[in-house]
Amino acid sequence: MMGREVSSEKNKIDKEIFIIKVIVLIILVVSFILLTIYLVLAPKIDLKKNKEISITYPNVYKEPGYKAKSLFSDLTKKVKVKGKVNSKKIGNYKITYTVKNFLFTTVTTRMVSIVDKEKPQIVLKGHEETDVCPNAKYQEEGYEVTDNYDKDLKDKVKVKITDNEIIYTVKDSSGNEAKVIRKLIYQDKIKPNLQLKGSANLNLTAGATYLESGYTAIDNCDGDIWGNVKILGTVNPNKIGTYTLTYTVKDHAGNESTVTRKVSVSAPRKTNSGCGVLGAIYLTFDDGPNASSTAQILNVLKEEGVKATFFVTNAGPDALIKRAYDEGHTIGLHTASHKYNVVYASVNNYFNDLNSVASRVKRITGYDSKFIRFPGGSSNTVSRKYSPGIMTRLASEVVNRGYKYYDWNVDSNDAGACANSKSSSCVYNTTVKYLSKNKCNMVLMHDIKSYTADALRDVIRYGKQNGYIFKQIDSSTPIVSQGINN
Ligand code: ZN
């Protein structure tokens, strides 16, 4: 009983071993077949160049190529490539290469990185070594930032200020960092800007008034240091010679600027034209007096120390004729009525009218004036309307009777072109435009005009600053005539 049981058990085991051996054999055979099929049919992809490629912006990525094959055939044309690289945009790109052959699919990938390795550039405005005024704060002059990839990095600049330098740093989006340093040197090496107002070479006629035209002094660190200017030298306008005035100014740091002005004082030169003295200005005022503007003119003349000539009429207050006379001005006669139809109707009419104003002046001042100015001047043609030839007769008759008459060679235009605008700057500009150092200037003005009174001080200052001398008509002043036209 026991023997049969053992024997049957052994048979069973042998049977099982056999089955296992068969299964293993089948598996081996099938595997072998499958492996063979795989080796023959499975595709393989070979990428040219690396599987990881890094391209430095702005270089452009180009597919380096690939090959695909199975054991016996070339499958390159069957490869499908997925994924794109934008070379203009920094980043990592994945490219997938896929090829299929019967049941087999092979996939491989390549990683492409577009990278930026270039630093931004910081360009400082101003200098990398900058002088800063001692005790002053540096005023940022600014900077520009450029980068090969990023735009508008300017706002990202970090500015670090230390005692003697400013450090500018900026990073682009890829982390490339630029750094620029501005050195601050606290020193003032720049001289003050000292400049003369008016001419640096002034010609003065002896007897003129020297009037300092002034100067400006601006320092880069200290600002306006006008008050620190020192003037060495003096001018004696009554002594012929050349005078040098030296102007100096120092800034806080000790930088010194110097300028000089040469003033030549020369003897008055005589001329046969005009009123006789080259570079002289004879201010003459017609048609007054006038209660307000004549008073203003007398004030200006007094303040400026200038004497002038007034050709008066019968108008205005006696007191102003008295005042003009007492203050040393010359009183001349312009006719009493200033009416052309009256004074130019006949020689008798003219002298009757002239005598009227002459006796007014005599009554007020006790002075017998022999200086006259014809209304409209001796060259006027208006008079022809009332009496042809009257100016020819009057011009010789007044001289016969001991008078001298004075026309003008500079017209302030205060009764002409400037009368419409009533502009004092018009009177000033017209007058100084026609003043000349090469003639004796007989200037026609009207003291009844308020805008003439307003222009007068500037005219006088101009004359002084340009070396003119001011004179009044006196017995030595020759007749000034524009010529007789009637
Ligand atoms: Zn007049």
Side-chain angles (χ1 to χ4, degrees):
M1 185 65 185
M2 277 297 284
R4 267 187 70 191
E5 277 180 6
V6 168
S7 163
S8 107
E9 193 72 12
K10 197 182 177 252
N11 281 347
K12 205 181 167 186
I13 290 168
D14 287 347
K15 208 174 168 185
E16 281 175 358
I17 288 171
F18 175 77
I19 289 167
I20 288 168
K21 280 180 179 173
V22 170
I23 290 170
V24 168
L25 187 68
I26 290 168
I27 289 171
L28 284 173
V29 169
V30 168
S31 297
F32 179 77
I33 293 166
L34 288 176
L35 186 65
T36 306
I37 293 169
Y38 174 78
L39 288 174
V40 171
L41 295 178
K44 205 180 156 220
I45 301 177
D46 280 323
L47 297 182
K48 289 185 185 169
K49 302 250 171 102
N50 297 335
K51 290 196 78 178
E52 284 178 10
I53 293 182
S54 177
I55 303 285
T56 304
Y57 181 89
N59 293 315
V60 175
Y61 170 73
K62 268 186 197 162
E63 172 59 48
Y66 45 82
K67 273 196 170 164
K69 59 182 180 182
S70 60
L71 196 59
F72 300 113
S73 54
D74 187 337
L75 300 172
T76 303
K77 282 183 181 164
K78 287 179 137 184
V79 174
K80 284 190 178 140
V81 182
K82 262 194 175 176
K84 271 190 175 172
V85 175
N86 183 354
S87 298
K88 288 179 179 167
K89 202 174 169 212
I90 283 160
N92 298 316
Y93 299 89
K94 187 176 171 184
I95 299 170
T96 311
Y97 305 79
T98 309
V99 65
K100 280 184 182 173
N101 197 29
F102 297 98
L103 294 169
F104 300 100
T105 302
T106 297
V107 177
T108 187
T109 58
R110 192 193 314 261
M111 292 303 299
V112 178
S113 308
I114 305 294
V115 295
D116 174 21
K117 290 180 173 173
E118 207 172 308
K119 286 182 194 175
Q121 263 206 323
I122 303 175
V123 178
L124 298 182
K125 291 182 183 172
H127 298 283
E128 296 203 350
E129 284 196 4
T130 305
D131 282 359
V132 183
C133 290
N135 304 321
K137 246 183 118 177
Y138 172 68
Q139 294 285 324
E140 179 57 51
E141 290 161 280
Y143 43 79
E144 290 296 336
V145 183
T146 54
D147 185 61
N148 64 328
Y149 183 75
D150 293 286
K151 282 170 192 163
D152 305 325
L153 284 179
K154 201 171 173 178
D155 294 343
K156 301 205 165 116
V157 173
K158 285 182 184 152
V159 180
K160 193 181 160 197
I161 302 169
T162 71
D163 278 351
N164 47 21
E165 61 185 27
I166 303 178
I167 303 160
Y168 306 80
T169 51
V170 69
K171 272 185 187 170
D172 67 13
S173 57
S174 299
N176 300 303
E177 190 180 40
K179 180 175 169 183
V180 172
I181 294 174
R182 194 195 294 273
K183 279 201 171 152
L184 303 179
I185 301 160
Y186 288 88
Q187 62 180 8
D188 175 15
K189 283 182 156 180
I190 300 171
K191 286 180 185 180
N193 181 5
L194 175 60
Q195 291 202 340
L196 294 179
K197 289 183 181 174
S199 174
N201 287 294
L202 193 56
N203 294 309
L204 225 57
T205 305
T209 307
Y210 174 70
L211 187 66
E212 173 57 43
S213 301
Y215 38 80
T216 56
I218 306 287
D219 185 60
N220 62 315
C221 287
D222 303 344
D224 192 343
I225 49 170
W226 178 86
N228 296 349
V229 175
K230 293 195 171 84
I231 306 178
L232 270 171
T234 50
V235 176
N236 182 352
N238 296 314
K239 201 178 165 203
I240 287 159
T242 300
Y243 301 86
T244 302
L245 297 173
T246 305
Y247 304 72
T248 56
V249 69
K250 260 188 193 172
D251 66 14
H252 225 81
N255 301 303
E256 189 177 71
S257 292
T258 300
V259 292
T260 57
R261 195 193 309 269
K262 280 223 159 80
V263 182
S264 303
V265 177
S266 50
R269 286 180 297 147
K270 298 281 180 187
T271 170
N272 290 326
S273 71
C275 31
V277 181
L278 283 180
I281 294 174
Y282 286 75
L283 296 172
T284 68
F285 298 95
D286 288 9
D287 298 2
N290 169 282
S292 92
S293 48
T294 303
Q296 187 185 338
I297 284 168
L298 287 170
N299 290 344
V300 172
L301 292 171
K302 192 180 201 174
E303 285 154 20
E304 294 294 330
V306 166
K307 300 284 186 257
T309 304
F310 292 85
F311 291 105
V312 301
T313 66
N314 271 6
D318 288 353
L320 284 172
I321 293 179
K322 172 92 168 94
R323 181 183 160 193
Y325 181 78
D326 288 347
E327 290 180 358
H329 303 291
T330 298
I331 308 297
L333 311 172
H334 194 34
T335 70
S337 68
H338 204 288
K339 287 181 177 154
Y340 292 97
N341 61 344
V342 174
V343 301
Y344 294 140
S346 70
V347 172
N348 271 347
N349 265 24
Y350 174 81
F351 280 104
N352 284 339
D353 195 280
L354 187 71
N355 286 339
S356 168
V357 69
S359 34
R360 182 193 189 197
V361 170
K362 173 101 178 186
R363 173 175 56 79
I364 297 168
T365 64
Y367 171 64
D368 218 350
S369 178
K370 291 293 176 191
F371 308 118
I372 62 176
R373 173 164 286 155
F374 291 112
S378 70
S379 62
N380 81 79
T381 51
V382 177
S383 53
R384 192 180 294 136
K385 197 167 140 190
Y386 309 106
S387 178
I390 181 110
M391 295 318 299
T392 309
R393 293 193 291 280
L394 286 180
S396 63
E397 191 53 31
V398 293
V399 174
N400 289 344
R401 298 192 190 196
Y403 292 102
K404 282 169 147 186
Y405 64 90
Y406 298 91
D407 292 337
W408 55 89
N409 56 18
V410 175
D411 187 348
S412 71
N413 260 324
D414 62 349
C418 301
N420 282 338
S421 62
K422 297 186 174 15
S423 145
S424 59
S425 58
C426 177
V427 173
Y428 170 82
N429 289 329
T430 310
T431 306
V432 303
K433 183 177 169 190
Y434 291 107
L435 289 175
S436 166
K437 297 291 276 291
N438 294 316
K439 69 183 185 195
C440 181
N441 302 275
M442 185 66 74
V443 181
L444 172 66
M445 290 178 156
H446 295 83
D447 53 322
I448 55 171
K449 310 286 190 188
S450 62
Y451 47 93
T452 301
D454 291 339
L456 183 61
R457 193 186 304 275
D458 284 344
V459 170
I460 292 172
R461 292 272 167 97
Y462 172 90
K464 287 178 176 175
Q465 283 168 357
N466 288 280
Y468 289 90
I469 56 173
F470 288 89
K471 291 179 82 72
Q472 64 194 125
I473 291 172
D474 62 25
S475 55
S476 73
T477 314
I479 286 173
V480 174
S481 173
Q482 294 175 342
I484 308 294
N485 298 310
N486 172 33

